[in-house]
Amino acid sequence: QVQLVESGGGLVQAGGSLRLSCAASGSIFSLNAMGWYRQAPGKQRELVATITSGNSTNYADSVKGRFTISRDNAKKKVYLQMNSLKPEDTAVYYCQMVIGITGVHYWGQGTQVTVSS
């Protein structure tokens, strides 16, 4: 059974930085794409950033130039470095990993990020 656990969320002032981490555990033989998504109150979950097994990255326009996604396959982790945070970045952030030959999508439980103005 695979489990994803996020950490690193919290309260930060506008302009500040946070680094989110997501660690996978369980029976994992291959890691494919990984990503971060977020959901603000009253809004749908949206893509923030993704990274492929070949380290190609993709970002939402709203975070380009401010957020950086990275991965450590040996540690089974994905990270999201968030700089120049804005109040509109406030949301619950979820990590996602595509694991195994069949490409099953797993989600973490979410971590709250709150940016005060």
Side-chain angles (χ1 to χ4, degrees), residues 36-38 46-50 58-61 63 67 80 93:
W36 288 94
Y37 294 73
R38 67 186 181 187
E46 63 177 3
L47 181 148
V48 176
T50 60
N58 180 56
Y59 296 93
D61 288 343
V63 306
F67 290 10
L80 186 68
Y93 284 69

Side-chain angles (χ1 to χ4, degrees), residues 11-15 85-87 90 114-117:
L11 173 64
V12 64
Q13 288 188 330
L85 283 161
K86 304 176 181 180
T90 295
T114 303
V115 184
S116 63
S117 57

Side-chain angles (χ1 to χ4, degrees), residues 38-65:
R38 67 186 181 187
Q39 188 167 17
K43 295 187 177 181
Q44 290 187 329
R45 190 173 298 188
E46 63 177 3
L47 181 148
V48 176
T50 60
I51 183 167
T52 68
S53 57
N55 286 322
S56 294
T57 58
N58 180 56
Y59 296 93
D61 288 343
S62 59
V63 306
K64 281 182 181 177

